[in-house]
Amino acid sequence: MLEFRVKGLSCANCSRELEQKIQKLEHGEGSTLSYNTGKLKVDEHISLAEVEQILRSDGAYIDQSYAGGTSHPEHAGHHHRHSHAGEHGAHDHSAGDGHNHSHGSTNRMKVLLIAAAAVFVLAIGLQQFIPDVAAIAMYLFSIAISGYVTFMKGLRNLARFKFNIDTLMTIALIGAVLIGEWKEATLVAILFGLNELLEGMGMEKARRSMESLLQVAPKEAVLIAGGRERVVPISSLEIGDIVLVRAGEKIPSDGTVIAGSSSVNEAAITGESLPVDKAEGQPVFGGSINNEGVLQVRIDKAYKDSSLAKILHLVEEAQETKTPTELFINRFAKYYTPLILAVAILVVLVPPLLLGGDWKTWLYQGLAVLIVGCPCALILSSPIALVSGITRNARNGILVKGGVFLEQLGKIDTLAFDKTGTLTLGEPHVEQTAVYDKERFYSIAAGIEKTSSHPLAKAVMKHVEKVGAAAAEPEDIRTLSGQGIEARIDGRTYYLGNEKSVESVPKSQAARKDIERLKAEGLTLVIVADEHGILGVFGIADEIRPESAETVAALHRSGIRRTVMLTGDHQRTAEKVAAAVGVTSCYGGLLPEQKVEKIKELASDGQVAMIGDGINDAPALASAGLGIAMGKGTDSAIETADIVLMQDHLGKLPEAISIGKKVNRIIKANIALALGLKLIALLLTIPGLLTLWIAILSDMGATIIVTLLSLTVLLDRKRRAETRI
């Protein structure tokens, strides 16, 4: 597929109609045109000349300076140059970059509107002193420079009996001119032009915010090969390459530090503002910034497979999905516009024919109804808010894979957690000990466990190191399947493992009591004993994340009514962790398929999201209404999830849910406002008080308010507060 940036898209509905036209071309079946991103994707065999002709019919055009994401860039460049040079030489948009060109188009529109307004005011001021024909000429000039594009699109639509926003405006302009309402017609043209300008600027603001997020990707890297340094594109890097990253430079792709030490800013990946110290042997993310020092990094992933590339791909895809609300609005707008046209005809005909009303008065009222009926604000009520919400979350290192998932995030009332690696660190640690022979307990345990890579052995060794005991030297070590280890040290036999490993060992009353107590507290036991008795017991637990309790409390404050923990660990362990972090309920001893069943059970009484990080969480993530994965978890969990937290903790989750709820509130408010203002304006037709300028102001006012409300999602109160400090 070829990918292009399209400028000049006037509205979401118009973009959808253009997409449908392009899809009817030869090789156009799979073409997509997204209003949210301004991106066009087409088959490489399609005629770009025909595509551009369709786009120009709506005042849009391909930005030649951008050809990102094409599967065959050389084709993109060739077809693109050919289509312009061959047929549209005078219509060249290649000057400058896309952003400047868009900025230039906006400035031209501003100049034209200012000129139209100036001529309009001048015509009103001079009308008493100049011939009527001269005043009319000034009004016509003002209409032409402010409403020409809309007028011509509307005429083409009328010829095809296609009724949309432009058609309604064109009919209203023609009608106003025919009944001699020159001032009103001019004001309508100017205000509608201003309305479209503000609408475009609002969407462009959201797009630019998203594009600034996507610009964090590095472009080049310093490759070290054969003892020499050379600058290469990051796309050419291969696994195993060594790159040099100096202070202030971006790390080109995911890799491992092999030389040097520095602090690294990972905000582009995780959303965390604090730098992370990196030294030899530690992993680094592509796109993160080396703050100081010089690092040599071994590339572990090609850029296209890196964390940053995945983030940017997911964020771009997210903008192009349609939510149920958007799909409903699009369907509604399809029938809404013809309905408004029918209402306008009734307003024009019924009072004069049945009630003896004045034809000119009610024709004027009918034209005003057409303008009120423009669904601009209604169509715009959702996309800007959704793009803003996706962008705001991405800044925080939270990847929402589509607007539909952002909308769903704002609706959830039940959140199910996996335990290990989610609410806990997934790293066992010794929480308690019961020691009966201090001299031998620690040294024997260290001697047996020091060569083991088992997580429990690592926890024991970490604790022994804190105590400062010296490790004994085993003469012989033998593994007992399902029990533990048997070792020979200084001529004596020792056992280390679970209760089964010491079944034949005599136990003191104190030891029996301590074992039962530690088990009751949900701890995993590692018992050390010889043939004559127990030397001591390690009570091991999975360490609870320090932020878990506060995060769960914040989730409850944000409107989540149920927090549920699902784990494969036994029920006692589950209850202990649940009590510590504050979840409302917990279920232990669950297999992956049982987690799925529990999710379905919870879903029967609410909107459920599941958060986890392991392979065994993937089925539950997929079955939940919304799946949330920890970003440093497994690839399968990340691929399955609808939302990804790039941090290795839950701290940002409450804010993400708050953003989702805010987006939903704003969309509802936008829809109510857009329809409410129109309803009020339409009710003014009953006493005959609706005027053309009131009609256009009601539509423009709704559009401005909808846009501004949607853009408030981008505001970060915490960052503004930090800036003031």
mmCIF file of all heavy atoms in Angstrom, residues 15 25 69 103 135 183 188 299 310 337 348 402 424 432 440 513 523 591 603 638 646 654 657 661 693 707:
data_model
loop_
_atom_site.group_PDB
_atom_site.id
_atom_site.type_symbol
_atom_site.label_atom_id
_atom_site.label_comp_id
_atom_site.label_asym_id
_atom_site.label_seq_id
_atom_site.Cartn_x
_atom_site.Cartn_y
_atom_site.Cartn_z
ATOM 1 N N SER A 15 -14.813 13.466 4.145
ATOM 2 C CA SER A 15 -13.702 12.522 3.991
ATOM 3 C C SER A 15 -14.229 11.124 3.702
ATOM 4 O O SER A 15 -13.681 10.395 2.872
ATOM 5 C CB SER A 15 -12.843 12.498 5.256
ATOM 6 O OG SER A 15 -12.328 13.777 5.529
ATOM 7 N N LEU A 25 -12.741 3.347 -7.778
ATOM 8 C CA LEU A 25 -11.763 3.339 -8.866
ATOM 9 C C LEU A 25 -11.177 1.945 -9.045
ATOM 10 O O LEU A 25 -11.246 1.102 -8.146
ATOM 11 C CB LEU A 25 -10.628 4.326 -8.575
ATOM 12 C CG LEU A 25 -10.979 5.809 -8.469
ATOM 13 C CD1 LEU A 25 -9.740 6.605 -8.083
ATOM 14 C CD2 LEU A 25 -11.560 6.340 -9.787
ATOM 15 N N GLY A 69 5.436 5.546 5.294
ATOM 16 C CA GLY A 69 4.707 4.307 5.463
ATOM 17 C C GLY A 69 4.400 3.562 4.181
ATOM 18 O O GLY A 69 3.624 2.634 4.169
ATOM 19 N N HIS A 103 -0.189 25.450 7.002
ATOM 20 C CA HIS A 103 -0.194 26.759 7.657
ATOM 21 C C HIS A 103 -0.470 27.850 6.642
ATOM 22 O O HIS A 103 -1.232 28.807 6.897
ATOM 23 C CB HIS A 103 1.157 26.979 8.328
ATOM 24 C CG HIS A 103 1.190 28.175 9.191
ATOM 25 N ND1 HIS A 103 0.441 28.312 10.337
ATOM 26 C CD2 HIS A 103 1.879 29.330 9.063
ATOM 27 C CE1 HIS A 103 0.668 29.478 10.881
ATOM 28 N NE2 HIS A 103 1.524 30.125 10.137
ATOM 29 N N ALA A 135 -23.331 48.612 -4.730
ATOM 30 C CA ALA A 135 -23.383 47.933 -3.425
ATOM 31 C C ALA A 135 -23.556 46.427 -3.619
ATOM 32 O O ALA A 135 -22.889 45.618 -2.945
ATOM 33 C CB ALA A 135 -24.521 48.497 -2.585
ATOM 34 N N LYS A 183 -27.330 41.527 2.255
ATOM 35 C CA LYS A 183 -26.542 41.599 3.495
ATOM 36 C C LYS A 183 -26.520 40.241 4.193
ATOM 37 O O LYS A 183 -25.477 39.770 4.643
ATOM 38 C CB LYS A 183 -27.139 42.648 4.441
ATOM 39 C CG LYS A 183 -26.986 44.074 3.985
ATOM 40 C CD LYS A 183 -27.624 45.003 5.010
ATOM 41 C CE LYS A 183 -27.638 46.446 4.495
ATOM 42 N NZ LYS A 183 -28.328 47.343 5.442
ATOM 43 N N VAL A 188 -23.865 35.245 5.795
ATOM 44 C CA VAL A 188 -23.883 33.777 5.843
ATOM 45 C C VAL A 188 -22.601 33.211 5.237
ATOM 46 O O VAL A 188 -21.959 32.318 5.801
ATOM 47 C CB VAL A 188 -25.116 33.228 5.107
ATOM 48 C CG1 VAL A 188 -24.955 31.731 4.822
ATOM 49 C CG2 VAL A 188 -26.372 33.464 5.917
ATOM 50 N N ILE A 299 22.584 -3.552 19.317
ATOM 51 C CA ILE A 299 21.195 -3.567 18.856
ATOM 52 C C ILE A 299 20.613 -4.971 19.016
ATOM 53 O O ILE A 299 21.159 -5.949 18.500
ATOM 54 C CB ILE A 299 21.109 -3.118 17.379
ATOM 55 C CG1 ILE A 299 21.631 -1.694 17.212
ATOM 56 C CG2 ILE A 299 19.669 -3.233 16.870
ATOM 57 C CD1 ILE A 299 20.872 -0.650 17.988
ATOM 58 N N LYS A 310 6.658 0.060 17.674
ATOM 59 C CA LYS A 310 5.352 -0.512 18.009
ATOM 60 C C LYS A 310 4.416 0.561 18.552
ATOM 61 O O LYS A 310 3.234 0.608 18.227
ATOM 62 C CB LYS A 310 5.516 -1.633 19.038
ATOM 63 C CG LYS A 310 6.084 -2.921 18.464
ATOM 64 C CD LYS A 310 6.194 -3.991 19.543
ATOM 65 C CE LYS A 310 6.755 -5.292 18.981
ATOM 66 N NZ LYS A 310 6.902 -6.316 20.034
ATOM 67 N N THR A 337 -29.449 15.205 7.094
ATOM 68 C CA THR A 337 -29.424 16.300 6.127
ATOM 69 C C THR A 337 -30.647 16.289 5.203
ATOM 70 O O THR A 337 -31.302 17.326 5.035
ATOM 71 C CB THR A 337 -28.120 16.258 5.302
ATOM 72 O OG1 THR A 337 -27.011 16.299 6.200
ATOM 73 C CG2 THR A 337 -28.039 17.435 4.346
ATOM 74 N N VAL A 348 -41.333 26.475 4.209
ATOM 75 C CA VAL A 348 -41.585 27.411 3.099
ATOM 76 C C VAL A 348 -43.028 27.290 2.596
ATOM 77 O O VAL A 348 -43.682 28.307 2.305
ATOM 78 C CB VAL A 348 -40.599 27.137 1.938
ATOM 79 C CG1 VAL A 348 -40.995 27.948 0.693
ATOM 80 C CG2 VAL A 348 -39.180 27.483 2.360
ATOM 81 N N GLY A 402 -7.202 2.225 19.971
ATOM 82 C CA GLY A 402 -8.268 2.749 19.128
ATOM 83 C C GLY A 402 -9.250 3.570 19.940
ATOM 84 O O GLY A 402 -9.350 3.416 21.163
ATOM 85 N N THR A 424 1.898 -7.370 42.298
ATOM 86 C CA THR A 424 3.164 -7.681 42.962
ATOM 87 C C THR A 424 4.299 -7.526 41.960
ATOM 88 O O THR A 424 4.058 -7.408 40.754
ATOM 89 C CB THR A 424 3.161 -9.120 43.517
ATOM 90 O OG1 THR A 424 3.100 -10.035 42.424
ATOM 91 C CG2 THR A 424 1.976 -9.342 44.440
ATOM 92 N N GLN A 432 9.459 -13.419 56.241
ATOM 93 C CA GLN A 432 9.631 -13.789 57.655
ATOM 94 C C GLN A 432 10.565 -14.992 57.759
ATOM 95 O O GLN A 432 10.702 -15.771 56.807
ATOM 96 C CB GLN A 432 8.285 -14.167 58.292
ATOM 97 C CG GLN A 432 7.301 -13.025 58.436
ATOM 98 C CD GLN A 432 6.081 -13.452 59.233
ATOM 99 O OE1 GLN A 432 6.200 -14.105 60.286
ATOM 100 N NE2 GLN A 432 4.914 -13.093 58.736
ATOM 101 N N ARG A 440 23.876 -22.669 62.089
ATOM 102 C CA ARG A 440 23.898 -23.513 60.888
ATOM 103 C C ARG A 440 22.830 -23.142 59.857
ATOM 104 O O ARG A 440 23.011 -23.378 58.661
ATOM 105 C CB ARG A 440 23.712 -24.978 61.291
ATOM 106 C CG ARG A 440 24.913 -25.593 61.978
ATOM 107 C CD ARG A 440 24.729 -27.095 62.126
ATOM 108 N NE ARG A 440 23.608 -27.426 63.019
ATOM 109 C CZ ARG A 440 22.985 -28.598 63.030
ATOM 110 N NH1 ARG A 440 23.332 -29.548 62.183
ATOM 111 N NH2 ARG A 440 21.995 -28.835 63.887
ATOM 112 N N LYS A 513 4.224 -25.147 65.159
ATOM 113 C CA LYS A 513 3.385 -23.957 65.347
ATOM 114 C C LYS A 513 3.764 -22.860 64.348
ATOM 115 O O LYS A 513 2.906 -22.218 63.737
ATOM 116 C CB LYS A 513 3.551 -23.461 66.782
ATOM 117 C CG LYS A 513 2.613 -22.326 67.149
ATOM 118 C CD LYS A 513 2.787 -21.952 68.620
ATOM 119 C CE LYS A 513 1.855 -20.808 68.997
ATOM 120 N NZ LYS A 513 2.008 -20.423 70.424
ATOM 121 N N LEU A 523 2.308 -17.543 53.130
ATOM 122 C CA LEU A 523 3.707 -17.531 52.709
ATOM 123 C C LEU A 523 4.120 -18.883 52.133
ATOM 124 O O LEU A 523 3.633 -19.930 52.560
ATOM 125 C CB LEU A 523 4.618 -17.179 53.886
ATOM 126 C CG LEU A 523 4.380 -15.805 54.524
ATOM 127 C CD1 LEU A 523 5.293 -15.616 55.727
ATOM 128 C CD2 LEU A 523 4.595 -14.691 53.517
ATOM 129 N N LEU A 591 -6.804 -21.649 37.178
ATOM 130 C CA LEU A 591 -6.095 -21.941 35.940
ATOM 131 C C LEU A 591 -6.476 -20.878 34.913
ATOM 132 O O LEU A 591 -7.489 -20.181 35.080
ATOM 133 C CB LEU A 591 -6.479 -23.335 35.433
ATOM 134 C CG LEU A 591 -6.106 -24.508 36.348
ATOM 135 C CD1 LEU A 591 -6.728 -25.805 35.825
ATOM 136 C CD2 LEU A 591 -4.596 -24.642 36.467
ATOM 137 N N ALA A 603 -18.594 -10.049 33.988
ATOM 138 C CA ALA A 603 -19.158 -9.230 32.902
ATOM 139 C C ALA A 603 -20.670 -9.251 32.885
ATOM 140 O O ALA A 603 -21.298 -8.373 32.282
ATOM 141 C CB ALA A 603 -18.613 -9.708 31.558
ATOM 142 N N ILE A 638 0.810 -8.160 25.340
ATOM 143 C CA ILE A 638 0.757 -6.841 24.698
ATOM 144 C C ILE A 638 -0.026 -6.909 23.390
ATOM 145 O O ILE A 638 -0.829 -6.035 23.080
ATOM 146 C CB ILE A 638 2.184 -6.300 24.457
ATOM 147 C CG1 ILE A 638 2.858 -6.009 25.804
ATOM 148 C CG2 ILE A 638 2.160 -5.040 23.595
ATOM 149 C CD1 ILE A 638 4.321 -5.657 25.695
ATOM 150 N N MET A 646 3.090 1.234 29.210
ATOM 151 C CA MET A 646 4.500 1.022 28.915
ATOM 152 C C MET A 646 5.374 1.089 30.166
ATOM 153 O O MET A 646 6.539 0.728 30.130
ATOM 154 C CB MET A 646 4.981 2.043 27.880
ATOM 155 C CG MET A 646 4.379 1.860 26.503
ATOM 156 S SD MET A 646 4.540 0.172 25.861
ATOM 157 C CE MET A 646 6.310 0.023 25.709
ATOM 158 N N PRO A 654 -5.005 5.021 36.866
ATOM 159 C CA PRO A 654 -6.149 5.861 37.265
ATOM 160 C C PRO A 654 -6.308 7.098 36.382
ATOM 161 O O PRO A 654 -7.436 7.473 36.034
ATOM 162 C CB PRO A 654 -5.806 6.251 38.709
ATOM 163 C CG PRO A 654 -4.926 5.153 39.204
ATOM 164 C CD PRO A 654 -4.107 4.754 38.015
ATOM 165 N N ILE A 657 -7.903 6.129 33.052
ATOM 166 C CA ILE A 657 -9.351 5.932 33.187
ATOM 167 C C ILE A 657 -10.063 7.275 33.307
ATOM 168 O O ILE A 657 -11.120 7.486 32.701
ATOM 169 C CB ILE A 657 -9.652 5.032 34.405
ATOM 170 C CG1 ILE A 657 -9.176 3.607 34.114
ATOM 171 C CG2 ILE A 657 -11.138 5.034 34.743
ATOM 172 C CD1 ILE A 657 -9.276 2.657 35.277
ATOM 173 N N LYS A 661 -12.974 8.722 30.876
ATOM 174 C CA LYS A 661 -14.264 9.228 31.365
ATOM 175 C C LYS A 661 -14.483 10.672 30.908
ATOM 176 O O LYS A 661 -15.606 11.059 30.550
ATOM 177 C CB LYS A 661 -14.308 9.132 32.895
ATOM 178 C CG LYS A 661 -14.425 7.700 33.417
ATOM 179 C CD LYS A 661 -14.526 7.666 34.925
ATOM 180 C CE LYS A 661 -14.620 6.236 35.445
ATOM 181 N NZ LYS A 661 -15.813 5.521 34.995
ATOM 182 N N TRP A 693 -28.629 35.126 10.051
ATOM 183 C CA TRP A 693 -27.418 35.315 10.851
ATOM 184 C C TRP A 693 -27.518 34.602 12.197
ATOM 185 O O TRP A 693 -26.522 34.099 12.722
ATOM 186 C CB TRP A 693 -27.105 36.802 11.023
ATOM 187 C CG TRP A 693 -28.082 37.594 11.826
ATOM 188 C CD1 TRP A 693 -29.158 38.270 11.357
ATOM 189 C CD2 TRP A 693 -28.053 37.787 13.244
ATOM 190 N NE1 TRP A 693 -29.831 38.875 12.393
ATOM 191 C CE2 TRP A 693 -29.163 38.605 13.562
ATOM 192 C CE3 TRP A 693 -27.218 37.365 14.276
ATOM 193 C CZ2 TRP A 693 -29.452 38.993 14.868
ATOM 194 C CZ3 TRP A 693 -27.496 37.754 15.569
ATOM 195 C CH2 TRP A 693 -28.601 38.556 15.857
ATOM 196 N N THR A 707 -15.290 22.251 19.573
ATOM 197 C CA THR A 707 -13.846 22.149 19.321
ATOM 198 C C THR A 707 -13.040 22.481 20.568
ATOM 199 O O THR A 707 -12.121 21.743 20.944
ATOM 200 C CB THR A 707 -13.441 23.088 18.167
ATOM 201 O OG1 THR A 707 -14.167 22.730 16.994
ATOM 202 C CG2 THR A 707 -11.952 22.995 17.887
#
